[in-house]
Amino acid sequence: DVKVTQSSRYLVKRTGEKVFLECVQDMDHENMFWYRQDPGLGLRLIYFSYDVKMKEKGDIPEGYSVSREKKERFSLILESASTNQTSMYLCASSDNRGGLPQGTYEQYFGPGTRLTVT
Amino acid sequence: AQRVTQPEKLLSVFKGAPVELKCNYSYSGSPELFWYVQYSRQRLQLLLRHISRESIKGFTADLNKGETSFHLKKPFAQEEDSAMYYCALSARGGYQKVTFGTGTKLQVIP
């Protein structure tokens, strides 16, 4: 059973603080993702990583950075938190082995971190 | 560019009535389509995907390349189907970047 865990369920930070959101998966997945989920906007991809130390910008990378030093861990960093970054943050992972075409694999999601920036 | 459109924010149906959640996409290459579901207080999870051609919990979805649609259907809605549904698209053969729609909340009325 795939497990994707996120370090916090709820987080409250002040404007200007540096914020770290941690995500760990235990299934040796190659790909990891960070999304934010907002009502009416759905899920929007912030960054993804397809290998250790590799990262790609998603659709809304501004104000965020990521780090993937180990295969199982993918961190999202808000360098200077702002109120418009108040949101639910979802981490996900997916495999890319198993004989299926790339792009067809299921994503496994963590429970989410609800971040409030005041 | 990849785009997924779910035109309905909320869909309310009576128990036992048919359900159709609409999803249209825009992508110039070969798409792979998914439906994800989020039940109350649970994490987002895969419901079904085009490549598997399977029916899950009575739901089916057919990829119509001519109409660029991947609508989710179920003949008889059940109360436990109430949830948030997201349609998603990725590029077959490419990286696993997935674009999600804005979601449709399905409310099944007893």
Side-chain angles (χ1 to χ4, degrees):
Chain A
D1 194 23
V2 177
K3 285 281 169 46
V4 180
T5 57
Q6 296 183 228
S7 51
S8 306
R9 291 301 303 271
Y10 300 94
L11 208 52
V12 180
K13 295 292 182 181
R14 294 191 181 277
T15 301
E17 279 193 85
K18 190 168 186 175
V19 182
F20 293 87
L21 302 182
E22 304 285 338
C23 175
V24 177
Q25 51 93 5
D26 67 356
M27 285 302 290
D28 200 36
H29 282 174
E30 304 291 330
N31 306 306
M32 296 189 74
F33 308 82
W34 275 107
Y35 297 90
R36 60 178 287 175
Q37 182 182 32
D38 299 287
L41 297 177
L43 274 73
R44 291 179 292 167
L45 181 64
I46 304 171
Y47 269 95
F48 67 102
S49 169
Y50 52 90
D51 201 352
V52 175
K53 296 191 185 296
M54 304 301 288
K55 61 185 179 184
E56 291 284 339
K57 291 181 180 179
D59 299 316
I60 52 164
E62 296 79 19
Y64 304 94
S65 62
V66 290
S67 172
R68 193 166 180 202
E69 297 296 319
K70 294 185 178 181
K71 191 174 185 180
E72 67 271 19
R73 188 180 298 270
F74 192 35
S75 303
L76 180 69
I77 304 153
L78 287 67
E79 295 289 342
S80 178
S82 63
T83 54
N84 63 12
Q85 293 178 310
T86 291
S87 185
M88 172 69 85
Y89 289 87
L90 299 181
C91 175
S93 72
S94 71
D95 205 346
N96 64 357
R97 300 160 291 182
L100 292 177
Q102 292 299 317
T104 64
Y105 289 87
E106 172 182 0
Q107 294 201 353
Y108 295 86
F109 284 85
T113 295
R114 185 166 293 282
L115 173 67
T116 302
V117 183
T118 61
Chain B
Q2 304 172 193
R3 176 176 284 183
V4 176
T5 302
Q6 293 179 254
E8 303 138 329
K9 286 188 176 181
L10 172 66
L11 182 65
S12 297
V13 301
F14 285 101
K15 178 182 173 181
V19 175
E20 183 178 47
L21 298 171
K22 294 189 180 341
C23 173
N24 289 91
Y25 68 90
S26 173
Y27 181 61
S28 57
S30 181
E32 182 59 32
L33 277 298
F34 306 79
W35 277 99
Y36 282 83
V37 61
Q38 190 168 29
Y39 301 103
S40 180
R41 291 188 169 80
Q42 294 187 27
R43 62 182 70 192
L44 195 62
Q45 59 187 288
L46 179 70
L47 178 62
L48 56 79
R49 52 185 162 173
H50 166 62
I51 194 171
S52 300
R53 302 282 204 282
E54 57 195 350
S55 173
I56 303 293
K57 299 184 178 183
F59 285 98
T60 59
D62 292 317
L63 178 61
N64 186 324
K65 291 188 176 181
E67 295 182 0
T68 59
S69 68
F70 191 59
H71 303 326
L72 184 67
K73 299 178 183 179
K74 184 170 183 177
F76 308 104
Q78 300 174 349
E79 289 181 63
E80 54 266 33
D81 296 329
S82 294
M84 193 74 175
Y85 291 80
Y86 292 95
C87 183
L89 174 151
S90 69
R92 181 179 287 219
Y95 286 130
Q96 281 279 129
K97 178 184 175 181
V98 178
T99 299
F100 284 81
T102 52
T104 298
K105 184 175 182 178
L106 175 63
Q107 181 180 61
V108 180
I109 304 165

